[in-house]
Amino acid sequence: MKLQIRHETRYEYAGRASHSVNQICIIPRDTQFQQCLNNTLDIKPTPEKIYTWRDSFGNSQAHFSIEESHDQCVVTSVSLVETSANKAPVLPTNENIAQSLSSLAVDFSEEGLFASKCLLPSQHVNRLDGTAELVRRLKNQSDSVAEFAQNLMTWIYEEFEYDPSFSTVVTTGQKAWDAKRGVCQDFAHVALAILREAGIPARYVSGYLETLPQPGQKKMQGSDASHAWFSVYCNKHGWFDFDPTNNKRPDQQYVTTAWGRDYADVAPLKGVVYGGGSQSVAVSVDVSRVDGALYMLSNEK
Protein backbone atom coordinates (compact mmCIF):
# COMPACT_ATOMS: atom_id res chain seq x y z
CA MET A 1 0.00 0.00 0.00
CA LYS A 2 1.26 3.48 -0.87
CA LEU A 3 0.70 6.32 1.58
CA GLN A 4 1.38 10.00 1.01
CA ILE A 5 2.22 11.97 4.12
CA ARG A 6 2.07 15.76 4.13
CA HIS A 7 3.44 17.24 7.35
CA GLU A 8 3.38 21.03 7.77
CA THR A 9 4.74 22.91 10.78
CA ARG A 10 4.07 26.66 10.91
CA TYR A 11 5.74 28.98 13.41
CA GLU A 12 4.39 32.51 13.78
CA TYR A 13 6.37 35.13 15.73
CA ALA A 14 4.97 38.24 17.42
CA GLY A 15 7.91 40.28 16.13
CA ARG A 16 10.65 39.69 13.60
CA ALA A 17 13.35 37.14 14.29
CA SER A 18 16.83 38.05 13.08
CA HIS A 19 17.70 34.41 12.30
CA SER A 20 17.03 30.85 13.42
CA VAL A 21 18.81 27.49 13.52
CA ASN A 22 16.72 24.34 13.13
CA GLN A 23 16.93 20.55 13.04
CA ILE A 24 14.21 18.31 11.61
CA CYS A 25 13.50 14.59 11.78
CA ILE A 26 10.38 14.10 9.66
CA ILE A 27 11.55 12.06 6.67
CA PRO A 28 10.36 8.42 6.93
CA ARG A 29 13.12 5.83 7.08
CA ASP A 30 13.35 2.54 5.23
CA THR A 31 12.55 -0.52 7.33
CA GLN A 32 11.80 -4.21 6.84
CA PHE A 33 8.15 -3.33 6.19
CA GLN A 34 8.32 0.03 4.42
CA GLN A 35 10.25 1.98 1.82
CA CYS A 36 10.34 5.76 1.45
CA LEU A 37 9.96 6.20 -2.31
CA ASN A 38 10.20 9.98 -2.40
CA ASN A 39 10.41 13.03 -0.17
CA THR A 40 10.33 16.77 -0.82
CA LEU A 41 11.09 19.47 1.72
CA ASP A 42 9.80 23.01 1.31
CA ILE A 43 10.98 25.62 3.81
CA LYS A 44 9.89 29.26 3.91
CA PRO A 45 11.83 31.52 4.09
CA THR A 46 14.15 29.48 1.90
CA PRO A 47 17.44 28.62 3.65
CA GLU A 48 20.66 28.87 1.66
CA LYS A 49 21.60 25.29 2.47
CA ILE A 50 20.06 22.18 4.01
CA TYR A 51 22.48 19.66 5.49
CA THR A 52 21.26 16.06 5.79
CA TRP A 53 22.80 13.07 7.54
CA ARG A 54 22.03 9.75 9.22
CA ASP A 55 22.24 9.82 12.98
CA SER A 56 23.65 6.99 15.12
CA PHE A 57 20.26 5.22 15.03
CA GLY A 58 20.01 5.38 11.23
CA ASN A 59 17.36 8.11 11.17
CA SER A 60 17.31 10.83 8.51
CA GLN A 61 18.11 14.20 10.09
CA ALA A 62 18.37 17.62 8.45
CA HIS A 63 19.78 20.94 9.61
CA PHE A 64 19.11 24.40 8.21
CA SER A 65 19.43 28.02 9.27
CA ILE A 66 17.46 31.08 8.16
CA GLU A 67 19.75 34.08 8.10
CA GLU A 68 17.23 36.73 6.98
CA SER A 69 14.75 38.60 9.14
CA HIS A 70 11.42 36.74 9.30
CA ASP A 71 8.14 36.68 11.23
CA GLN A 72 7.19 33.12 10.38
CA CYS A 73 8.80 29.82 9.43
CA VAL A 74 6.90 27.09 7.54
CA VAL A 75 8.36 23.61 7.06
CA THR A 76 6.46 21.26 4.75
CA SER A 77 7.51 17.67 4.14
CA VAL A 78 5.73 15.49 1.56
CA SER A 79 6.66 11.80 1.45
CA LEU A 80 5.52 8.79 -0.51
CA VAL A 81 5.94 5.56 1.44
CA GLU A 82 5.12 2.00 0.44
CA THR A 83 4.17 -0.26 3.35
CA SER A 84 4.01 -4.04 3.16
CA ALA A 85 2.96 -5.37 6.59
CA ASN A 86 -0.60 -6.51 5.82
CA LYS A 87 -0.67 -7.98 9.32
CA ALA A 88 1.57 -7.40 12.31
CA PRO A 89 4.37 -10.00 12.53
CA VAL A 90 3.66 -13.07 14.66
CA LEU A 91 5.06 -12.62 18.15
CA PRO A 92 7.70 -15.07 19.44
CA THR A 93 6.66 -16.48 22.81
CA ASN A 94 9.64 -18.73 23.53
CA GLU A 95 12.11 -16.06 24.72
CA ASN A 96 11.72 -15.14 28.36
CA ILE A 97 13.07 -12.02 30.00
CA ALA A 98 15.93 -13.70 31.89
CA GLN A 99 17.13 -15.52 28.74
CA SER A 100 16.93 -12.30 26.76
CA LEU A 101 19.08 -10.40 29.25
CA SER A 102 21.63 -13.21 29.38
CA SER A 103 21.90 -13.34 25.58
CA LEU A 104 22.08 -9.57 25.27
CA ALA A 105 25.09 -9.44 27.60
CA VAL A 106 27.18 -11.17 24.91
CA ASP A 107 25.47 -9.67 21.85
CA PHE A 108 27.90 -7.18 20.30
CA SER A 109 26.04 -6.76 17.03
CA GLU A 110 24.85 -3.29 16.03
CA GLU A 111 21.27 -4.17 17.02
CA GLY A 112 22.41 -5.78 20.25
CA LEU A 113 24.43 -2.74 21.31
CA PHE A 114 21.50 -0.44 20.51
CA ALA A 115 19.18 -2.71 22.50
CA SER A 116 21.56 -2.52 25.48
CA LYS A 117 21.29 1.29 25.38
CA CYS A 118 17.50 0.86 25.44
CA LEU A 119 17.73 -0.77 28.87
CA LEU A 120 19.14 2.41 30.41
CA PRO A 121 17.43 5.61 31.61
CA SER A 122 17.31 8.40 29.02
CA GLN A 123 16.34 12.07 28.92
CA HIS A 124 12.58 11.45 29.03
CA VAL A 125 12.54 7.93 30.47
CA ASN A 126 13.49 7.34 34.08
CA ARG A 127 12.35 4.83 36.67
CA LEU A 128 8.81 5.64 37.81
CA ASP A 129 7.59 5.59 41.37
CA GLY A 130 4.72 3.18 41.90
CA THR A 131 5.25 0.73 39.04
CA ALA A 132 6.86 -2.19 40.90
CA GLU A 133 3.56 -3.96 41.61
CA LEU A 134 2.50 -3.70 37.95
CA VAL A 135 5.84 -5.17 36.81
CA ARG A 136 5.41 -8.11 39.20
CA ARG A 137 1.84 -8.70 38.04
CA LEU A 138 2.74 -8.62 34.34
CA LYS A 139 5.66 -10.98 34.90
CA ASN A 140 3.33 -13.38 36.70
CA GLN A 141 1.02 -13.33 33.68
CA SER A 142 3.91 -14.19 31.36
CA ASP A 143 7.70 -14.01 31.47
CA SER A 144 7.83 -13.91 27.66
CA VAL A 145 9.35 -10.65 26.39
CA ALA A 146 6.74 -10.26 23.65
CA GLU A 147 3.74 -11.27 25.76
CA PHE A 148 4.82 -8.95 28.59
CA ALA A 149 4.92 -6.08 26.07
CA GLN A 150 1.52 -7.00 24.62
CA ASN A 151 -0.09 -7.24 28.05
CA LEU A 152 1.43 -3.88 29.00
CA MET A 153 0.10 -2.31 25.78
CA THR A 154 -3.43 -3.45 26.64
CA TRP A 155 -3.12 -2.37 30.27
CA ILE A 156 -2.11 1.19 29.32
CA TYR A 157 -4.92 1.37 26.75
CA GLU A 158 -7.49 0.34 29.34
CA GLU A 159 -6.16 2.31 32.32
CA PHE A 160 -5.05 5.61 30.74
CA GLU A 161 -7.27 8.34 29.31
CA TYR A 162 -6.30 10.02 26.04
CA ASP A 163 -6.28 13.75 26.82
CA PRO A 164 -4.55 16.18 24.39
CA SER A 165 -5.08 19.06 26.82
CA PHE A 166 -3.13 17.36 29.60
CA SER A 167 0.45 17.32 28.37
CA THR A 168 3.14 19.02 26.31
CA VAL A 169 6.34 17.70 24.76
CA VAL A 170 8.11 18.21 28.10
CA THR A 171 5.55 16.43 30.32
CA THR A 172 7.35 13.84 32.44
CA GLY A 173 6.51 10.16 32.44
CA GLN A 174 5.93 10.38 36.20
CA LYS A 175 3.25 13.03 35.75
CA ALA A 176 1.50 10.97 33.08
CA TRP A 177 1.76 7.83 35.22
CA ASP A 178 0.33 9.54 38.31
CA ALA A 179 -2.58 11.08 36.38
CA LYS A 180 -3.16 8.03 34.14
CA ARG A 181 -3.70 10.34 31.18
CA GLY A 182 -1.87 11.97 28.29
CA VAL A 183 -1.22 11.42 24.59
CA CYS A 184 0.69 8.89 22.50
CA GLN A 185 4.09 10.35 23.47
CA ASP A 186 3.24 10.03 27.18
CA PHE A 187 1.94 6.47 26.78
CA ALA A 188 5.12 5.46 24.95
CA HIS A 189 7.37 7.01 27.61
CA VAL A 190 5.45 5.32 30.45
CA ALA A 191 5.68 1.99 28.63
CA LEU A 192 9.42 2.39 28.06
CA ALA A 193 10.02 3.09 31.75
CA ILE A 194 8.07 -0.02 32.81
CA LEU A 195 9.69 -2.26 30.19
CA ARG A 196 13.20 -1.14 31.11
CA GLU A 197 12.42 -1.66 34.79
CA ALA A 198 11.37 -5.22 33.89
CA GLY A 199 14.67 -5.80 32.06
CA ILE A 200 13.26 -5.56 28.53
CA PRO A 201 15.08 -3.42 25.92
CA ALA A 202 12.55 -0.95 24.53
CA ARG A 203 12.83 1.93 22.08
CA TYR A 204 10.65 4.93 21.16
CA VAL A 205 9.20 5.02 17.64
CA SER A 206 7.85 8.14 15.92
CA GLY A 207 5.75 8.12 12.78
CA TYR A 208 2.26 8.41 11.37
CA LEU A 209 -0.99 6.45 11.39
CA GLU A 210 -3.52 6.53 8.59
CA THR A 211 -6.94 7.37 10.02
CA LEU A 212 -10.08 6.58 8.05
CA PRO A 213 -13.33 8.61 8.17
CA GLN A 214 -16.65 7.18 9.27
CA PRO A 215 -18.65 5.49 6.47
CA GLY A 216 -20.26 8.08 4.23
CA GLN A 217 -18.15 10.94 5.60
CA LYS A 218 -15.32 12.80 3.89
CA LYS A 219 -11.94 12.80 5.55
CA MET A 220 -10.99 16.22 6.91
CA GLN A 221 -7.71 17.59 5.62
CA GLY A 222 -5.17 18.15 8.39
CA SER A 223 -7.06 15.83 10.74
CA ASP A 224 -4.17 13.37 11.12
CA ALA A 225 -1.23 13.86 13.45
CA SER A 226 2.23 12.60 14.25
CA HIS A 227 2.11 9.40 16.25
CA ALA A 228 4.35 7.49 18.65
CA TRP A 229 4.55 3.94 19.96
CA PHE A 230 7.20 1.53 21.33
CA SER A 231 9.21 -1.51 20.25
CA VAL A 232 10.79 -4.29 22.28
CA TYR A 233 13.84 -6.35 21.33
CA CYS A 234 13.83 -10.14 21.21
CA ASN A 235 17.40 -11.36 20.70
CA LYS A 236 16.65 -14.13 18.22
CA HIS A 237 13.89 -12.33 16.35
CA GLY A 238 14.54 -8.57 16.35
CA TRP A 239 12.21 -5.68 17.21
CA PHE A 240 8.42 -5.84 17.60
CA ASP A 241 6.12 -2.80 17.68
CA PHE A 242 3.19 -2.06 20.00
CA ASP A 243 0.81 0.92 20.00
CA PRO A 244 -0.70 1.47 23.47
CA THR A 245 -2.76 4.46 22.30
CA ASN A 246 -4.88 2.18 20.11
CA ASN A 247 -4.12 -1.23 21.66
CA LYS A 248 -2.89 -2.37 18.27
CA ARG A 249 0.15 -4.02 16.74
CA PRO A 250 1.30 -1.65 13.94
CA ASP A 251 0.56 -2.82 10.40
CA GLN A 252 0.53 -1.29 6.91
CA GLN A 253 -1.47 1.74 8.09
CA TYR A 254 1.54 2.83 10.14
CA VAL A 255 4.55 4.73 8.78
CA THR A 256 7.76 4.83 10.81
CA THR A 257 9.74 8.07 10.71
CA ALA A 258 12.47 7.38 13.26
CA TRP A 259 13.40 5.54 16.43
CA GLY A 260 15.60 6.23 19.43
CA ARG A 261 15.79 6.00 23.20
CA ASP A 262 12.92 8.48 23.66
CA TYR A 263 11.30 11.57 22.11
CA ALA A 264 14.45 13.69 22.47
CA ASP A 265 16.27 11.54 19.89
CA VAL A 266 13.55 11.92 17.25
CA ALA A 267 11.85 15.31 17.83
CA PRO A 268 10.22 16.34 14.50
CA LEU A 269 11.52 19.91 14.69
CA LYS A 270 13.70 21.69 17.21
CA GLY A 271 15.94 24.72 17.15
CA VAL A 272 16.80 28.19 18.37
CA VAL A 273 15.20 31.48 17.29
CA TYR A 274 16.97 34.79 17.85
CA GLY A 275 14.45 37.55 18.53
CA GLY A 276 10.84 37.42 17.40
CA GLY A 277 9.25 37.57 20.87
CA SER A 278 6.44 35.17 21.66
CA GLN A 279 5.56 32.48 19.14
CA SER A 280 2.76 30.12 18.21
CA VAL A 281 3.00 26.81 16.38
CA ALA A 282 0.45 24.95 14.26
CA VAL A 283 0.96 21.44 12.90
CA SER A 284 -1.08 19.90 10.10
CA VAL A 285 -0.68 16.27 8.97
CA ASP A 286 -2.45 14.39 6.18
CA VAL A 287 -1.95 10.66 5.54
CA SER A 288 -3.67 9.48 2.36
CA ARG A 289 -3.71 6.37 0.20
CA VAL A 290 -2.55 7.10 -3.34
CA ASP A 291 -1.23 5.31 -6.40
CA GLY A 292 2.06 6.26 -8.02
CA ALA A 293 0.48 8.07 -10.98
CA LEU A 294 -1.66 10.32 -8.81
CA TYR A 295 1.32 11.16 -6.62
CA MET A 296 3.49 12.20 -9.58
CA LEU A 297 0.71 14.34 -11.04
CA SER A 298 0.13 16.12 -7.74
CA ASN A 299 3.80 17.01 -7.45
CA GLU A 300 4.09 18.28 -11.01
CA LYS A 301 1.51 21.04 -10.46
Side-chain angles (χ1 to χ4, degrees), residues 45-70:
T46 305
E48 289 191 8
K49 292 183 179 180
I50 301 177
Y51 301 93
T52 61
W53 74 96
R54 298 283 178 184
D55 64 20
S56 60
F57 307 116
N59 305 313
S60 178
Q61 301 273 3
H63 172 276
F64 67 91
S65 60
I66 299 175
E67 304 295 337
E68 63 184 88
S69 175
H70 57 287

Side-chain angles (χ1 to χ4, degrees), residues 22-100:
N22 308 272
Q23 182 173 319
I24 55 177
C25 184
I26 53 178
I27 302 174
R29 63 180 295 155
D30 292 338
T31 73
Q32 180 183 358
F33 300 109
Q34 73 176 43
Q35 182 181 6
C36 185
L37 303 176
N38 191 25
N39 173 267
T40 59
L41 280 176
D42 182 64
I43 302 170
K44 297 288 190 293
T46 305
E48 289 191 8
K49 292 183 179 180
I50 301 177
Y51 301 93
T52 61
W53 74 96
R54 298 283 178 184
D55 64 20
S56 60
F57 307 116
N59 305 313
S60 178
Q61 301 273 3
H63 172 276
F64 67 91
S65 60
I66 299 175
E67 304 295 337
E68 63 184 88
S69 175
H70 57 287
D71 59 11
Q72 68 173 5
C73 176
V74 183
V75 179
T76 305
S77 171
V78 180
S79 303
L80 178 65
V81 178
E82 185 168 18
T83 60
S84 60
N86 294 325
K87 295 182 180 179
V90 176
L91 294 176
T93 59
N94 59 348
E95 184 174 322
N96 66 44
I97 297 172
Q99 291 172 338
S100 176

Side-chain angles (χ1 to χ4, degrees), residues 28 55 90 111 114 120 128 158 163-164 180 197 204 212 223 239 266 283-284 291-292:
D55 64 20
V90 176
E111 289 288 5
F114 176 33
L120 303 174
L128 302 177
E158 293 175 346
D163 183 359
K180 299 296 186 292
E197 180 181 348
Y204 183 98
L212 300 176
S223 61
W239 295 90
V266 298
V283 179
S284 174
D291 62 36

Side-chain angles (χ1 to χ4, degrees), residues 154-175:
T154 300
W155 185 89
I156 292 175
Y157 175 78
E158 293 175 346
E159 298 295 329
F160 279 62
E161 180 178 348
Y162 186 83
D163 183 359
S165 66
F166 172 76
S167 60
T168 68
V169 294
V170 295
T171 298
T172 65
Q174 189 66 59
K175 182 177 179 181

